[in-house]
Amino acid sequence: MPLSSSGCPSTAEWRRQDREPPLIPCTVWGESGGTGMLLSSVEEWPRSVVYKPSKLIFPRAEGPNLCLYPSSGDTSSGAQLKMPEPTKKEDGQPEENVAPGTGEALPPAEISLEVSPPEAAVEVKDPDPIVTVPEQEPVVPEVLEPQPIVTEVTEPQPIVAEATEPQPIVTEPVEHGQVEPEPKQDVKVVQVCEVKEETPIHSPAPPMNDAVMAADTVPIVMVVPPPPPALKDKDDDITASTPSPPPPSEDGSTHKKLSVDLPNDSVPESAKGRKDSVWSLGDGQPPEDIDKQVENPPLSTLLIEKPQGGSISVGGDITFIAKVEAKDLLRKPAIKWFKGKWMDLASKTGKHLQLKESFDRFTKIHTFEMHIIKAKENYAGNYRCEVTYKDKFDSCSFDLEVKDVPEVSQSIDIRSAFKRSSEGQDDAGELDFSGLLKHREPKQEEVPEVDVWEILKNARPDEYEKIAFMYGITDLRGLLRRLKKTKKEEKKSEAFAKKLEPAYQVDKGGKIRLVVDMADPTVDLKWYKNGQEIRPTPKFIFEHKGTQRILVINNCQMNDDAAYSVVAGDEKSSTELFVKVLPVKIVKELEPVNTTVNERIELECEVTEEGAQVKWLKNGVEVPTGVRSRYRVKSEGTKHWLIIDDAMKEDTGTYSLMATGGTSEARVQVDLKPLKILQDLQDVTVLLGQPLKLHCEILPGNVPGRWYRNGQLIQSSDRITILHRAKNHRIEVESCTLHDSGDYTFVPEGYSQSLCAKVHIIDPPKVHLEALNAPDNTVTVVAGNKLRLEIPISGEPAPRVVWMKGERVILDTGSRVRAETFSDHTCLTIDVTEREDTGNYKIVLQNEAGEDTASVKVKVVDIPDAPGAPLVPTVGGDWCSMTWDPPYYDGGSPILGYFIERKKKQSSRWMRLNFDLCKETTFEPKKMIEGVPYEVRIFAVNAIGVSKPSEPSKPFVPLAVTSEPTMLVVDDVTDTTVTMKWRPPDTIGAAGLDGYQVEYCLEGSDEWILANKELTEKTKYTITDLPREAKILVRVKAINAAGPSPPRTTQHSILVKEVIEPPKIRIPRHLKQTYMRKVGEVVNLVVPFLGKPRPKVNWLKDGQSIDPTQINIRNSDCDSIIFIRKAERKHSGKYDMTVQVENHVDTAVLDIQIVDLPGPPQCVRIEEVWGENVALDWTPPKDNGNAPITGYTIQKADKKTMEWYTCVEHYHRTCITISDLVVGNEYFFRIFSENMVGLSESATITKDSAVIVKEGMNLKNPEYIDYDFTEPPKFTQPLINTFAIAGYNTTLNCSVRANPRPKVIWMKNKIMILDDPRYRMFSNQGHQRPWGGTGGLQIGGQSHHTGIVNVLFSSKEALRSLS
């Protein structure tokens, strides 16, 4: 850590490591009008504070009210305070210091505090709080005798300080307006101080009285100033929206507290980052959170650079930067910016606030920025930055101070205040006296001889620059700003008779009373905390006592440490409350630990306060606890742990925990574990040149070791790598040699045991084909000659050699082909080579080191095979063209050329056609006789000789082409096609005619396009895909075996444009009337039509489109076919046919009637029975089968036999009388209906029977009891559990039987489903009786329908449920 000029770490370095600098072991309170500050850094104090007497300068100290006392646990040191007295005006008010002999004002007096070395150790275990009460009357400046100060020391009661002359003052607690004196101890006179004026040259302080060093006394030096005049702050009327307190005024009228605490005193987190001892609490807390203690933020684990607090003027810009290292993070961390406790700034971005973030790929650092643009006064306050990543969290608080440039009082040395800093700081020119304290040795400034303020006020503006140059003022702009804002003299307060004290102090958990005296008791008061109005609660109690208005704060906590103010009308009185935290002491000490390496170590300690800040040290050095540190710190309540997960021997040492109230130490001893071999070294055999790897595993895993070969230490090199990862130890040799073989030993460091293994290096076999000196390892030999191949080999041990050709192994006992092996070479011998010996010969070498293979290609050259039979694709009148394929085997030598021979088919004599070799595989024989069949054959020639002749070609006859076609005319033209007709050629010849080839050419072009890819044998052809309204020429060629004939071309161009012919439907005669077919028969109707171009045909049935799955319709250029494979009654209807050519339309209507058997008649009744006659009556059937009813068939049956007999057929009426019935019989009747198809499938039977009785006899009908058909609901198919997919529909089904029809109720989780659009309930009734049916519930595709579904079927008789 860098050191400051005093030899101690600087404050910036402490804060860069997220740590507060240590505090000086003494506490100083300053309540004068000067600039009191919290001196916390060693750098801010002279180095001689501890070792030799030194002076501490307090600039601008105007009131002699300062108190010094030693803190607990530290050695007291004597101190003497000297402060000049102000001169008194005639009206009793203090006036400015005036230099002797001059009328000019003196510079502000300085307070010098000399600290002498301690003479005796003084221990004060429980320091009592000290309340300093200023006197009610001003001190008479003429009194030069020192005023005695009586100090009362009470343990454990508070110390009471009294000033005996001129008026004793006793500080006592006041409760509800009653003064209760505290019990007093013996009073001891500690020190007498004298108050006098002091020039800048300080005289040495007198020695301290020995009574100061008494063990039971607390030395106190008190200087009581006269009460300052009541001044009204011009900012009192301004209410900031941010609860943070405004910055301290520069006029010196506001009292400040100067406090330097002990190192053992805990510094509350809210005090960090304060400016001039003012805590910035950010947004105010709700009343219910006031009693809660402010929690300490967690230790830093993510932020490597935290945003620092800053100060800007109104309208200025400022940027706060936070950086997070992302080397150990898999994704970007989440960051939040807060103002106060709850305000998330992410929703406040806009013109005045911007949040930015960036990522540097090279440094792996996330940078987060918060820009505040054109700041306002209410932007001031406490801010917080929180960073989270998975289970990690880090936060940082910082303050923003927004201030308007304050005015400068006339008692300021403006020449020293407005000299610019050479360091170029942002606050150059500001009145910052903290810079004076940071110097190791404060320099004594010369006393200004003149009051520059008076000169500037009386001078003209154009003389400002000259005056500034004359008196050495370089920051003229800052001086002009302060001159512009110089305050006017404040009037005396009209609302307050006595304002609040400048500052109050209270112990944490204690009670404090803030009292003001009112000049007008009727004025309403409002109390504020950090700018937020205070409401009466059990914590905040408002009391009235005469003209006094009292605010009582109970159970003070750290969040009560704030700025308080009271407002009466337009006037305001402010103060600060400081809550003191007691030192954190250790309750449970650390315990020593003895363990072994790789074990877990936990050091536990307990302190007196939850969330206290502690520091862990090892051997006096702070333990690192960062993200990559091996040490982890954990805290829970008052307990703190230091955890080392994987202990190492280097972790042995003395560990200590340092709190503000003490330190605890413990010894940690880490020893080696017993060596345990998990995996020993293994003997290995390695191929020469291959990598060598030896591996072993031992415990403990973090023990290093050394490797030896044949007793020699092995060092790492470019070829040898030694690795150690946890319990694994490995040595790797990149490419081993014969020297790497031997005995290897691994010796763990610190242990006497060792691990050994042997390494054997072997050389694999190798075939050296380079000795053949043959290109591509190919050996060529002429068939019939002897071949002997000798190939060198190597390998240790001597390899086994195998010669192979394909899958066949060549033995050394072969007769013609054999293989022989010797010590350094192998040999292949072929006595008489043949064509079959050509091929790849494989050599395989094997030994324990491995194997090697190589291939040798043997090429046996010979005469080539005969070429393939030649083909004759083209024949002319006296010539032909012939082609052939090269021979399958060229004899191992390239083909040099071919000889061609020809003969007539009837002849046996071949005639050679070429004496020079033909290099190509094509040839054209000439001078042949037309009409005579010929044959040809081929010979192949290579460097070895001439092959055998090929097979003769098929006989061919030289033929000539035909003459051109005749009478080429246009037959039809459409928008894209042209149809041509022609006549065959006049002369065809012996070759005959194979077909015609049609070509066309666009007008203006010479390119002829083939219209038909294949020859057409017809003399008519349609050319398609022609451009509309183009003009073309057409020609036709006749093709035969001899080739194409001369073309016949049209004389004039043809316009590709179709002539429109209106459509006309020609309905066949049998379709002009109703077309009737029976059900099940085939319907196949063809309707021809005319029209050009091809008309568009559309069919409609009863005005609707025809379903293609029921009726098939096929259209052509000239007709349309409607086809029904199996007619049904629903196919009946009127079919509208529309034929359209452009705007021309023709329609026709076809009436198709599909008939079927009729249904039975309805309501057959016996109207009357008399004698042997029965009168029947019925109604026509409901379904006539789509055809008129042509008649009825009536049948009768005797009840005894129930055999039916036909009475009447083809009866046309719906009533009839049946006669000639047998008396005494009982008859039933049934009737069939009939149409053109036939009788109905069923008949209607009379419900009652007709009894033929004799006259005079009466038949008594028996009485029958009606059967009860009611039946309770019963599930025939229950519900089943169903698994559905989210987003898809699901259906639940069940079946039930009941009579009468039941009521269905669906329930989900025992709740009825009513009017829910996500569910659709349906039920189907069966045809059986009693009622039977199925029910279903369809559920929409959502994921929250999981549950138990119930269905209830209810009827009058029973209620049945199913789930």
Side-chain angles (χ1 to χ4, degrees):
M1 180 182 298
L3 300 179
S4 63
S5 60
S6 61
C8 301
S10 62
T11 305
E13 293 300 327
W14 285 104
R15 293 175 178 170
R16 191 175 297 116
Q17 299 186 8
D18 195 20
R19 295 163 53 194
E20 288 299 320
L23 304 179
I24 298 303
C26 67
T27 304
V28 179
W29 289 76
E31 295 185 353
S32 66
T35 58
M37 301 188 68
L38 175 63
L39 306 181
S40 61
S41 174
V42 176
E43 182 185 18
E44 297 175 357
W45 288 82
R47 190 175 183 182
S48 61
V49 168
V50 180
Y51 301 104
K52 62 182 180 180
S54 178
K55 292 185 180 180
L56 178 61
I57 306 302
F58 293 85
R60 295 185 59 219
E62 295 179 359
N65 183 9
L66 184 136
C67 176
L68 172 67
Y69 67 93
S71 301
S72 63
D74 291 303
T75 303
S76 300
S77 61
Q80 182 179 5
L81 176 67
K82 294 182 180 180
M83 181 171 290
E85 283 185 346
T87 59
K88 186 176 181 181
K89 292 183 180 180
E90 294 180 358
D91 55 357
Q93 297 296 332
E95 59 184 13
E96 298 178 353
N97 297 329
V98 180
T102 63
E104 299 177 353
L106 284 173
E110 296 180 345
I111 302 174
S112 64
L113 175 64
E114 295 192 1
V115 182
S116 61
E119 299 180 2
V122 179
E123 292 186 5
V124 182
K125 297 184 177 179
D126 297 317
D128 297 324
I130 298 176
V131 179
T132 303
V133 182
E135 291 183 354
Q136 302 298 325
E137 296 180 0
V139 178
V140 180
E142 285 79 4
V143 179
L144 300 178
E145 294 296 327
Q147 301 295 329
I149 299 176
V150 180
T151 304
E152 294 184 0
V153 179
T154 305
E155 292 184 0
Q157 301 298 328
I159 297 176
V160 179
E162 293 187 355
T164 58
E165 287 184 9
Q167 179 179 351
I169 299 175
V170 180
T171 301
E172 297 176 350
V174 180
E175 190 74 15
H176 300 290
Q178 299 180 0
V179 179
E180 298 179 1
E182 296 286 330
K184 299 185 178 180
Q185 302 284 339
D186 294 336
V187 178
K188 299 181 180 180
V189 178
V190 178
Q191 178 71 30
V192 177
C193 302
E194 60 182 26
V195 179
K196 62 181 180 179
E197 286 189 9
E198 183 179 71
T199 59
I201 303 176
H202 301 279
S203 61
M208 297 290 296
N209 196 328
D210 294 338
V212 177
M213 313 314 297
D216 56 349
T217 62
V218 178
I220 300 175
V221 179
M222 298 180 56
V223 181
V224 182
L231 298 178
K232 181 178 178 181
D233 193 349
K234 72 174 183 178
D235 296 330
D236 289 348
D237 297 335
I238 302 175
T239 303
S241 60
T242 302
S244 301
S249 61
E250 299 282 347
D251 58 357
S253 62
T254 303
H255 295 282
K256 296 295 177 183
K257 180 179 72 174
L258 180 62
S259 174
V260 182
D261 296 337
L262 288 172
N264 294 335
D265 291 342
S266 61
V267 179
E269 197 68 27
S270 60
K272 296 182 180 179
R274 288 175 45 164
K275 301 291 186 297
D276 296 339
S277 301
V278 178
W279 273 255
S280 294
L281 297 180
D283 292 344
Q285 300 179 2
E288 60 270 13
D289 292 342
I290 292 179
D291 294 335
K292 297 181 182 179
Q293 187 173 357
V294 179
E295 296 180 0
N296 292 329
L299 296 177
S300 174
T301 57
L302 293 174
L303 291 171
I304 61 173
E305 180 178 331
K306 298 185 177 183
Q308 303 295 328
S311 175
I312 58 174
S313 301
V314 175
D317 299 344
I318 191 170
T319 301
F320 297 97
I321 300 176
K323 293 186 179 181
V324 178
E325 188 173 7
K327 292 184 179 178
D328 299 330
L329 308 182
L330 299 179
R331 59 181 175 83
K332 185 183 73 175
I335 188 168
K336 290 185 178 181
W337 300 86
F338 295 91
K339 184 173 188 288
K341 260 195 174 183
W342 307 282
M343 184 184 293
D344 190 351
L345 298 180
S347 61
K348 306 294 182 182
T349 55
K351 182 172 63 175
H352 295 281
L353 177 65
Q354 296 180 2
L355 303 179
K356 297 182 180 180
E357 58 184 49
S358 61
F359 178 68
D360 192 341
R361 296 185 177 179
F362 298 99
T363 60
K364 304 293 184 183
I365 292 178
H366 291 279
T367 302
F368 304 93
E369 301 179 6
M370 180 176 72
H371 301 280
I372 296 179
I373 304 170
K374 297 181 180 179
K376 301 179 180 179
E377 291 184 358
N378 58 354
Y379 289 2
N382 179 260
Y383 291 79
R384 188 171 76 258
C385 169
E386 291 185 359
V387 181
T388 56
Y389 174 77
K390 293 185 178 179
D391 57 345
K392 298 180 180 179
F393 172 82
D394 198 359
S395 67
C396 175
S397 297
F398 54 95
D399 291 330
L400 173 62
E401 182 180 356
V402 181
K403 58 185 179 181
D404 202 355
V405 180
E407 298 179 356
V408 183
S409 63
Q410 296 183 357
S411 61
I412 300 175
D413 181 8
I414 62 174
R415 290 190 292 177
S416 61
F418 287 99
K419 289 182 179 179
R420 291 193 178 272
S421 172
S422 61
E423 299 175 358
Q425 300 175 351
D426 295 337
D427 57 352
E430 300 293 335
L431 294 180
D432 184 9
F433 290 100
S434 63
L436 299 177
L437 299 177
K438 294 182 181 179
H439 294 290
R440 183 173 181 180
E441 294 182 359
K443 297 180 181 180
Q444 298 294 334
E445 296 289 343
E446 295 182 0
V447 178
E449 299 178 355
V450 294
D451 189 353
V452 183
W453 284 117
E454 293 297 332
I455 298 176
L456 290 173
K457 288 180 181 179
N458 300 325
R460 297 193 308 273
D462 57 349
E463 297 177 354
Y464 288 163
E465 186 174 358
K466 179 180 179 181
I467 296 173
F469 178 76
M470 182 183 302
Y471 292 99
I473 299 175
T474 57
D475 188 5
L476 179 61
R477 183 176 298 176
L479 182 143
L480 294 177
R481 285 200 302 266
R482 294 192 179 273
L483 181 64
K484 182 179 179 180
K485 296 184 178 181
T486 303
K487 288 188 176 181
K488 298 180 181 179
E489 184 177 358
E490 303 273 349
K491 295 183 180 179
K492 185 176 181 180
S493 173
E494 298 179 357
F496 298 102
K498 178 182 178 183
K499 291 190 175 182
L500 293 172
E501 297 297 332
Y504 295 85
Q505 180 189 12
V506 65
D507 286 340
K508 182 178 178 182
K511 181 171 71 174
I512 189 68
R513 299 165 59 89
L514 308 181
V515 183
V516 294
D517 283 343
M518 303 299 298
D520 184 5
T522 62
V523 178
D524 293 334
L525 291 184
K526 288 186 180 180
W527 292 88
Y528 292 89
K529 173 185 175 182
N530 284 340
Q532 290 189 349
E533 185 177 357
I534 301 175
R535 302 294 182 184
T537 61
K539 183 177 184 65
F540 297 98
I541 301 174
F542 297 160
E543 295 181 358
H544 294 186
K545 181 181 177 182
T547 60
Q548 289 185 343
R549 299 296 183 263
I550 305 170
L551 171 63
V552 181
I553 305 175
N554 297 314
N555 190 19
C556 293
Q557 300 295 329
M558 292 308 300
N559 52 7
D560 296 322
D561 189 303
Y564 292 83
S565 60
V566 57
V567 177
D570 296 336
E571 295 192 25
K572 176 181 178 182
S573 177
S574 301
T575 186
E576 287 191 67
L577 175 61
F578 297 92
V579 179
K580 183 178 180 182
V581 180
L582 297 178
V584 178
K585 298 183 179 180
I586 298 176
V587 177
K588 181 181 178 181
E589 300 287 339
L590 296 175
E591 297 180 357
V593 176
N594 289 326
T595 183
T596 58
V597 294
N598 299 330
E599 296 295 333
R600 179 186 174 93
I601 299 176
E602 287 192 8
L603 296 177
E604 180 181 356
C605 185
E606 187 174 356
V607 296
T608 57
E609 183 179 345
E610 292 188 3
Q613 294 290 335
V614 299
K615 185 182 298 183
W616 289 92
L617 305 175
K618 175 189 175 183
N619 297 331
V621 180
E622 184 176 0
V623 174
T625 58
V627 177
R628 300 181 179 178
S629 176
R630 296 178 55 251
Y631 302 94
R632 292 191 298 111
V633 174
K634 184 177 71 173
S635 61
E636 182 178 344
T638 60
K639 294 184 178 181
H640 296 261
W641 290 271
L642 176 64
I643 301 173
I644 307 174
D645 289 326
D646 191 3
M648 301 174 60
K649 192 172 180 59
E650 292 77 5
D651 295 328
T652 300
T654 301
Y655 290 80
S656 59
L657 179 135
M658 179 183 295
T660 57
T663 305
S664 177
E665 294 184 354
R667 177 70 180 178
V668 174
Q669 182 65 37
V670 181
D671 299 324
L672 292 175
K673 289 185 177 181
L675 184 64
K676 182 178 180 181
I677 300 175
L678 301 180
Q679 181 177 343
D680 202 350
L681 292 177
Q682 303 294 330
D683 296 341
V684 294
T685 301
V686 185
L687 297 176
L688 182 67
Q690 296 298 318
L692 168 63
K693 296 181 180 180
L694 292 178
H695 169 257
C696 65
E697 295 183 6
I698 61 173
L699 284 180
N702 57 353
V703 176
R706 296 186 178 183
W707 292 85
Y708 296 88
R709 179 179 61 239
N710 297 329
Q712 299 294 328
L713 180 63
I714 302 176
Q715 301 289 347
S716 297
S717 63
D718 295 339
R719 195 173 63 90
I720 300 176
T721 304
I722 298 177
L723 301 175
H724 175 205
R725 293 179 181 174
K727 60 183 178 180
N728 297 316
H729 295 265
R730 182 189 301 272
I731 183 171
E732 297 180 358
V733 181
E734 182 178 350
S735 178
C736 64
T737 62
L738 294 177
H739 300 285
D740 293 327
S741 61
D743 295 334
Y744 282 74
T745 304
F746 175 74
V747 180
E749 185 176 340
Y751 294 91
S752 59
Q753 295 176 262
S754 62
L755 293 78
C756 300
K758 291 186 178 181
V759 176
H760 178 53
I761 307 298
I762 59 177
D763 186 11
K766 183 173 180 61
V767 182
H768 302 277
L769 289 180
E770 60 274 8
L772 286 177
N773 293 326
D776 298 331
N777 296 331
T778 302
V779 178
T780 305
V781 61
V782 180
N785 295 338
K786 182 178 180 180
L787 174 65
R788 180 179 177 85
L789 294 177
E790 293 184 358
I791 300 175
I793 61 175
S794 63
E796 183 64 31
R800 174 175 169 266
V801 182
V802 177
W803 283 83
M804 300 178 64
K805 182 183 180 186
E807 299 297 331
R808 181 173 62 88
V809 178
I810 302 175
L811 304 178
D812 55 357
T813 59
S815 58
R816 188 178 68 87
V817 180
R818 60 187 178 275
E820 298 174 304
T821 301
F822 302 94
S823 60
D824 58 347
H825 70 279
T826 181
C827 180
L828 173 66
T829 302
I830 304 177
D831 291 334
V832 179
T833 56
E834 298 177 356
R835 179 182 298 181
E836 292 76 12
D837 296 331
T838 299
N840 289 328
Y841 290 80
K842 183 178 180 181
I843 310 170
V844 181
L845 278 63
Q846 293 180 342
N847 65 2
E848 64 179 53
E851 69 176 31
D852 188 19
T853 59
S855 295
V856 177
K857 185 176 181 181
V858 176
K859 184 177 181 181
V860 180
V861 296
D862 198 359
I863 61 174
D865 291 342
L871 300 177
V872 182
T874 307
V875 179
D878 60 348
W879 60 274
C880 72
S881 64
M882 54 184 296
T883 62
W884 61 92
D885 295 331
Y888 178 76
Y889 176 65
D890 60 356
S893 180
I895 299 298
L896 301 179
Y898 301 94
F899 288 118
I900 299 94
E901 291 185 350
R902 180 188 69 192
K903 77 176 185 68
K904 296 179 180 178
K905 184 177 180 182
Q906 298 81 4
S907 175
S908 59
R909 186 174 65 89
W910 291 90
M911 182 179 63
R912 179 166 294 184
L913 300 181
N914 64 317
F915 295 96
D916 296 330
L917 290 177
C918 177
K919 306 293 184 181
E920 306 294 335
T921 56
T922 60
F923 190 75
E924 290 187 2
K926 296 181 179 180
K927 297 181 180 180
M928 291 185 288
I929 301 173
E930 184 178 359
V932 176
Y934 287 90
E935 292 180 354
V936 292
R937 66 181 185 183
I938 310 296
F939 293 88
V941 181
N942 67 358
I944 308 303
V946 181
S947 69
K948 295 180 180 180
S950 67
E951 293 293 328
S953 66
K954 294 181 179 181
F956 62 92
V957 179
L959 298 173
V961 298
T962 66
S963 62
E964 60 185 14
T966 59
M967 300 180 65
L968 178 63
V969 295
V970 179
D971 183 58
D972 188 16
V973 178
T974 66
D975 289 340
T976 58
T977 63
V978 173
T979 303
M980 305 296 297
K981 293 197 308 184
W982 61 89
R983 300 284 294 172
D986 295 335
T987 303
I988 294 178
L993 180 62
D994 296 335
Y996 298 95
Q997 180 177 321
V998 182
E999 297 177 336
Y1000 68 92
C1001 174
L1002 297 176
E1003 188 177 30
S1005 175
D1006 296 335
E1007 181 183 2
W1008 289 92
I1009 303 172
L1010 181 63
N1012 58 329
K1013 295 182 180 180
E1014 297 182 358
L1015 297 179
T1016 176
E1017 296 180 356
K1018 298 180 181 179
T1019 57
K1020 181 179 180 181
Y1021 186 78
T1022 300
I1023 305 173
T1024 60
D1025 300 331
L1026 295 174
R1028 184 182 178 88
E1029 297 185 358
K1031 293 183 179 181
I1032 63 172
L1033 295 175
V1034 182
R1035 69 183 184 184
V1036 180
K1037 298 179 182 179
I1039 308 298
N1040 66 358
S1045 68
R1048 170 68 70 178
T1049 308
T1050 56
Q1051 296 181 355
H1052 303 285
S1053 60
I1054 304 169
L1055 178 63
V1056 183
K1057 185 177 181 182
E1058 186 172 14
V1059 179
I1060 298 176
E1061 180 180 343
K1064 179 66 176 177
I1065 300 175
R1066 297 184 178 274
I1067 302 177
R1069 181 171 298 179
H1070 66 282
L1071 295 180
K1072 292 183 179 180
Q1073 55 188 359
T1074 302
Y1075 182 81
M1076 302 182 67
R1077 281 291 184 273
K1078 296 180 181 180
V1079 174
E1081 292 183 350
V1082 177
V1083 177
N1084 189 10
L1085 303 179
V1086 180
V1087 182
F1089 55 82
L1090 300 175
K1092 196 174 182 183
R1094 179 176 177 173
K1096 296 180 181 179
V1097 182
N1098 186 28
W1099 286 90
L1100 297 176
K1101 176 179 178 295
D1102 298 330
Q1104 302 294 330
S1105 300
I1106 297 176
D1107 187 2
T1109 61
Q1110 300 290 334
I1111 303 173
N1112 295 328
I1113 297 177
R1114 294 190 294 271
N1115 299 322
S1116 66
D1117 295 340
C1118 58
D1119 59 15
S1120 179
I1121 301 174
I1122 181 169
F1123 177 78
I1124 303 175
R1125 186 176 303 277
K1126 189 175 181 180
E1128 298 179 4
R1129 290 180 59 181
K1130 63 181 179 181
H1131 295 150
S1132 300
K1134 293 186 179 297
Y1135 290 78
D1136 298 330
M1137 178 182 178
T1138 303
V1139 180
Q1140 182 178 1
V1141 175
E1142 293 187 357
N1143 296 329
H1144 305 279
V1145 180
D1146 191 12
T1147 60
V1149 179
L1150 302 184
D1151 188 6
I1152 300 176
Q1153 184 174 353
I1154 308 300
V1155 298
D1156 196 3
L1157 294 175
Q1162 303 182 77
C1163 300
V1164 178
R1165 300 183 303 275
I1166 299 176
E1167 291 291 334
E1168 186 179 0
V1169 179
W1170 73 97
E1172 299 176 356
N1173 305 313
V1174 174
L1176 302 177
D1177 186 21
W1178 67 90
T1179 58
K1182 185 177 181 180
D1183 181 14
N1184 62 357
N1186 206 20
I1189 299 298
T1190 58
Y1192 300 93
T1193 299
I1194 299 95
Q1195 294 181 349
K1196 65 180 179 180
D1198 189 1
K1199 184 178 181 180
K1200 298 178 182 179
T1201 61
M1202 289 305 293
E1203 294 180 2
W1204 296 94
Y1205 297 95
T1206 302
C1207 299
V1208 180
E1209 290 181 337
H1210 309 301
Y1211 188 76
H1212 296 283
R1213 299 176 63 185
T1214 58
C1215 60
I1216 192 173
T1217 301
I1218 305 299
S1219 305
D1220 301 329
L1221 299 177
V1222 179
V1223 177
N1225 290 349
E1226 185 176 359
Y1227 291 94
F1228 286 91
F1229 299 88
R1230 70 179 183 183
I1231 301 175
F1232 292 87
S1233 58
E1234 182 180 4
N1235 64 1
M1236 61 179 295
V1237 180
L1239 295 176
S1240 61
E1241 294 181 352
S1242 61
T1244 305
I1245 305 174
T1246 58
K1247 294 182 179 180
D1248 301 326
S1249 62
V1251 181
I1252 308 301
V1253 298
K1254 293 182 180 181
E1255 293 181 359
M1257 299 180 62
N1258 294 325
L1259 177 63
K1260 183 178 181 181
N1261 294 326
E1263 296 180 0
Y1264 298 95
I1265 301 175
D1266 294 336
Y1267 182 80
D1268 185 11
F1269 290 94
T1270 60
E1271 181 178 350
K1274 179 181 180 182
F1275 285 97
T1276 59
Q1277 175 63 40
L1279 287 175
I1280 60 174
N1281 294 334
T1282 303
F1283 293 89
I1285 301 176
Y1288 290 82
N1289 294 341
T1290 305
T1291 305
L1292 302 175
N1293 297 291
C1294 65
S1295 301
V1296 71
R1297 175 185 175 89
N1299 188 29
R1301 179 173 182 174
K1303 180 182 178 181
V1304 183
I1305 300 174
W1306 288 88
M1307 294 186 296
K1308 176 186 176 185
N1309 295 333
K1310 298 182 180 181
I1311 299 176
M1312 295 178 61
I1313 302 174
L1314 297 174
D1315 300 330
D1316 193 337
R1318 296 171 299 180
Y1319 300 87
R1320 185 170 67 88
M1321 293 165 282
F1322 56 91
S1323 61
N1324 299 320
Q1325 182 176 351
H1327 298 289
Q1328 69 271 20
R1329 190 169 184 85
W1331 190 88
T1334 60
L1337 174 67
Q1338 186 172 11
I1339 306 174
Q1342 297 186 21
S1343 61
H1344 59 271
H1345 295 305
T1346 304
I1348 300 175
V1349 180
N1350 305 81
V1351 59
L1352 294 177
F1353 289 87
S1354 62
S1355 64
K1356 296 180 180 180
E1357 289 73 26
L1359 178 67
R1360 182 174 295 274
S1361 173
L1362 176 66
S1363 63

